[in-house]
Amino acid sequence: MKGGSNLEKILTKGEFAVTGELGPPKGNDVEAVKKKAGMLKGYVDAVNITDNQTAVVRMSSISASAICLQEGLEPVMQMVCRDRNRIAMQSDIFGATALGISNMLCLSGDHQNFGNQANGKNVFDIDSIQLINTVKRLRDEKKLLDSDEEIEGEVKMFIGAAANPFAEPYEYRPYRLKKKVEAGVDFIQTQCIYDMKMFKEWMKVVRDLGLHEKCYILAGVTPLKSGGMTKYMANNVPGIIIPDEIIKRMTSAPKGEGAKEGIKLCCEQIQELREIEGVHGIHLMAIEWEHRAGEIVEQAGLLPRPKVD
Amino acid sequence: MIVADRKPIEDIKEMLTPYKKILMVGCGTCVSVCMAGGEKEVGVLASELRMIDKMENKNWEITETTIQRQCEREYIEPLEEKFKEADIVLSMACGVGVQYMVEVFPEKIVLPALNTTFYGTTVSEGEWEERCAGCGECVLHLTLGVCPVARCSKGLYNGPCGGTDMGKCEVSKELDCAWYLIHNRMKDLGKIEMMGTFIKPRSWKQSLNGGPRKRVREDLKK
Ligand code: SF4
Ligand code: SF4
């Protein structure tokens, strides 16, 4: 075992995994974290705790992860390269593992221009692939970056990263995943998938490169809440492609039925993704829709979640 | 070249308000090429200031001059007389010029009229872009001539991130994604395998993070 987490055990047993996503509050409201954790517990194997996503200041990923652990929900602590240098990152990894966190996701992070601290300075001392490699070194060699001194204790971490099959240059994206695998990633979660054809093409190259045997791939899904949201995402969110037939299906849903249609569509997508060779699970990003995550997992036939130990 | 931008006239006005005899010094090199602080721009700013002086009775006496380079002593020293007569000096050079004039004439205060922005080039008439951040350890051989430090918004060494959109950077549709350019160059030049090479974390000691930098060539020292 690399991190010894529930998620890792499920994946190594060959079970189809489900991860969710939880955005910490824009403040220190513990109850808000507990409430969201309560909505997801039992429906997902682990939950990503975002790290100041879209560069909006929120409760730290490490603290919200620790609260989730207390609530009995396993966290995947996200860590972005935007806000910390290598000293802070490695120190936080020591801290996180000391608190019992055993999954993490290494990300570049959205640029601070997007958020509520646009005048801030960014760090980007190392990038996301270098971070993967740094965590692996801490775990497998017990050494800090650039140092041969042995660390005290053990860093048990199941290392994750993101992959976006829908960002340009498309032909390079599977090779970028290869680079992450070589850097030491154990699992990846993809950007949300709407264009199945494109995702299948990406997966084919991934399989040809043998990457599905070297890391676990969790396919990203996000339920669409309405026709309006669908159009907004299609036009405004970089790195997301929504095919016209989905836009049409969502915008032509009867008034008040958009959410229902979105959930139905999401479940169909999950079924389709399960059939793809090399997909080891799904990553359900029901952002600010945590209360409906359980319903989606249930409708998709993914309950009960397997118990491993 | 070093590219700069003139400060807003309001800011310059505020800086100059306490003074009477103003010496404006332009620089004939980089900032002249990027049309921010050469002889012509000195003239334009001087006439704007004279207008303000007339309308707001500032009692300013403005002298204009432009030297070849404000980053070299030999060009600055001949200004001695002019410096003596002035209450204040307004430099239209980059930050290096402002500081070097202070070093040559420490008894005077020199104010910056420009915001020094980047090392770049003229991409088309009236448009300049950043190309280098002086990071101290050039990797252009690894990226085939497109700088990931100065031109990727996140300074990624193993890009592109997931935010690239139609060849543009997630930060702005006005910015080319540096890693998209790097990828295309590698592809066009038949070196696509370079995109698969993991670039390890670098040392930032050679950049500003190691403290202010200094270059010494023992063989040239007297
Ligand atoms: S890698 Fe460093 S030295 Fe080379 S162009 Fe970029 S910033 Fe300048
Ligand atoms: S979109 Fe391209 S230039 Fe912008 S941060 Fe990402 S990799 Fe860098």
Side-chain angles (χ1 to χ4, degrees), chain A:
Chain A
M1 285 279 122
K2 293 176 163 162
S5 65
N6 182 49
L7 177 64
E8 182 181 4
K9 286 176 191 156
I10 284 183
L11 287 165
T12 20
K13 272 190 81 183
E15 300 275 3
F16 193 77
V18 179
T19 53
E21 193 144 310
L22 186 157
K26 295 180 196 167
N28 56 7
D29 185 356
V30 180
E31 290 311 313
V33 182
K34 289 187 176 170
K35 201 170 151 211
K36 284 184 177 175
M39 290 171 188
L40 292 161
K41 196 176 160 183
Y43 298 116
V44 295
D45 305 318
V47 64
N48 284 29
I49 310 297
T50 52
D51 181 10
N52 297 297
Q53 85 262 29
T54 62
V56 168
V57 183
R58 291 169 182 271
M59 184 192 289
S60 71
S61 170
I62 188 164
S63 330
S65 293
I67 298 168
C68 282
L69 268 179
Q70 288 166 7
E71 295 300 295
L73 178 64
E74 183 173 284
V76 176
M77 175 185 73
Q78 296 195 354
M79 185 179 275
V80 300
C81 301
R82 180 192 59 221
D83 310 325
R84 298 172 179 82
N85 71 3
R86 58 190 81 185
I87 300 175
M89 282 175 152
Q90 295 178 103
S91 155
D92 277 351
I93 292 164
F94 286 163
T97 46
L99 289 167
I101 295 163
S102 50
N103 303 304
M104 75 179 283
L105 201 77
C106 306
L107 304 166
S108 313
D110 298 314
H111 194 272
Q112 75 274 11
N113 259 17
F114 293 102
N116 58 6
Q117 300 292 307
N119 294 328
K121 193 173 176 185
N122 59 33
V123 183
F124 296 114
D125 175 9
I126 57 176
D127 65 27
S128 61
I129 304 188
Q130 294 168 340
L131 174 58
I132 293 168
N133 203 240
T134 303
V135 189
K136 186 181 154 67
R137 182 175 160 92
L138 284 174
R139 183 188 67 196
D140 298 347
E141 295 172 46
K142 296 180 131 215
K143 280 175 191 154
L144 289 168
L145 190 57
D146 299 329
S147 160
D148 282 329
E149 196 187 325
E150 189 151 317
I151 61 167
E152 297 169 40
E154 262 183 277
V155 170
K156 287 196 177 148
M157 197 60 102
F158 192 44
I159 309 169
N164 188 356
F166 312 106
E168 289 171 308
Y170 307 129
E171 64 203 277
Y172 172 61
R173 292 295 161 177
Y175 295 89
R176 184 160 156 85
L177 174 58
K178 183 165 178 257
K179 218 167 156 176
K180 292 189 177 181
V181 167
E182 282 164 3
V185 85
D186 301 312
F187 71 99
I188 64 126
Q189 294 168 326
T190 77
Q191 174 65 282
C192 38
I193 301 157
Y194 297 103
D195 192 327
M196 268 312 156
K197 192 171 157 267
M198 213 170 151
F199 179 67
K200 286 178 180 167
E201 283 163 9
W202 180 80
M203 274 303 299
K204 184 176 178 311
V205 186
V206 166
R207 283 195 305 270
D208 290 346
L209 293 168
L211 303 178
H212 64 309
E213 282 159 356
K214 295 191 180 128
C215 72
Y216 299 103
I217 297 168
L218 308 186
V221 288
T222 290
L224 294 163
K225 298 178 192 173
S226 65
M229 172 197 178
T230 310
K231 275 198 282 189
Y232 178 83
M233 280 180 70
N235 298 329
N236 298 297
V237 185
I240 288 193
I241 296 179
I242 308 186
D244 289 341
E245 68 261 24
I246 290 186
I247 301 177
K248 220 172 126 208
R249 181 166 161 189
M250 285 305 295
T251 47
S252 55
K255 216 175 155 44
E257 301 276 302
K260 210 173 136 198
E261 191 59 33
I263 290 179
K264 195 165 161 245
L265 174 75
C266 184
C267 293
E268 291 168 20
Q269 288 167 332
I270 295 171
Q271 290 315 326
E272 205 171 340
L273 291 165
R274 280 186 88 162
E275 303 297 314
I276 303 173
E277 189 196 340
V279 172
H280 304 96
I282 56 151
H283 175 51
L284 175 63
M285 291 166 273
I287 307 135
E288 297 309 323
W289 232 29
E290 288 84 357
H291 61 291
R292 313 223 40 181
E295 189 182 331
I296 297 168
V297 178
E298 181 166 23
Q299 269 192 46
L302 294 167
L303 288 185
R305 298 307 310 143
K307 293 258 173 294
V308 283
D309 244 329

Side-chain angles (χ1 to χ4, degrees), chain B residues 1-173:
Chain B
M1 83 186 115
I2 295 181
V3 179
D5 222 1
R6 205 191 79 191
K7 283 182 180 286
I9 189 72
E10 283 303 313
D11 293 5
I12 298 174
K13 183 177 108 179
E14 202 188 310
M15 285 195 285
L16 292 174
T17 295
Y19 306 103
K20 197 163 174 274
K21 289 185 182 160
I22 302 163
L23 171 64
M24 292 178 64
V25 188
C27 179
T29 308
C30 304
V31 293
S32 184
V33 180
C34 72
M35 298 181 208
E39 194 172 2
K40 195 162 150 245
E41 291 73 32
V42 170
V44 173
L45 177 60
S47 42
E48 276 180 70
L49 291 172
R50 287 194 183 102
M51 290 258 284
I52 293 173
D53 178 47
K54 220 185 245 165
M55 286 158 66
E56 301 180 21
N57 297 318
K58 296 275 190 196
N59 283 322
W60 283 335
E61 279 170 38
I62 300 168
T63 315
E64 303 162 45
T65 187
T66 298
I67 59 173
Q68 183 62 34
R69 272 203 280 285
Q70 281 185 35
C71 54
E72 269 178 74
R73 186 173 283 270
E74 58 173 300
Y75 296 107
I76 302 174
E77 275 173 347
L79 292 178
E80 194 175 351
E81 281 310 307
K82 288 192 168 113
F83 260 72
K84 268 192 194 140
E85 282 163 26
D87 295 337
I88 195 77
V89 180
L90 181 66
S91 164
M92 290 197 69
C94 70
V96 180
V98 177
Q99 294 181 60
Y100 207 53
M101 293 222 293
V102 168
E103 281 165 50
V104 177
F105 299 115
E107 64 287 354
K108 281 285 180 248
I109 293 177
V110 181
L111 304 172
L114 305 186
N115 292 321
T116 305
T117 44
F118 53 79
Y119 308 151
T121 185
T122 316
V123 286
S124 64
E125 213 172 314
E127 247 189 283
W128 294 268
E129 280 182 7
E130 182 159 19
R131 289 291 180 267
C132 172
C135 78
E137 196 181 278
C138 197
V139 291
L140 288 174
H141 57 301
L142 303 177
T143 56
L144 293 188
V146 178
C147 173
V149 184
R151 297 173 72 183
C152 165
S153 300
K154 298 176 188 169
L156 306 177
Y157 277 74
N158 295 280
C161 73
T164 154
D165 196 21
M166 318 255 272
K168 298 294 171 188
C169 172
E170 69 171 32
V171 170
S172 154
K173 287 197 187 343

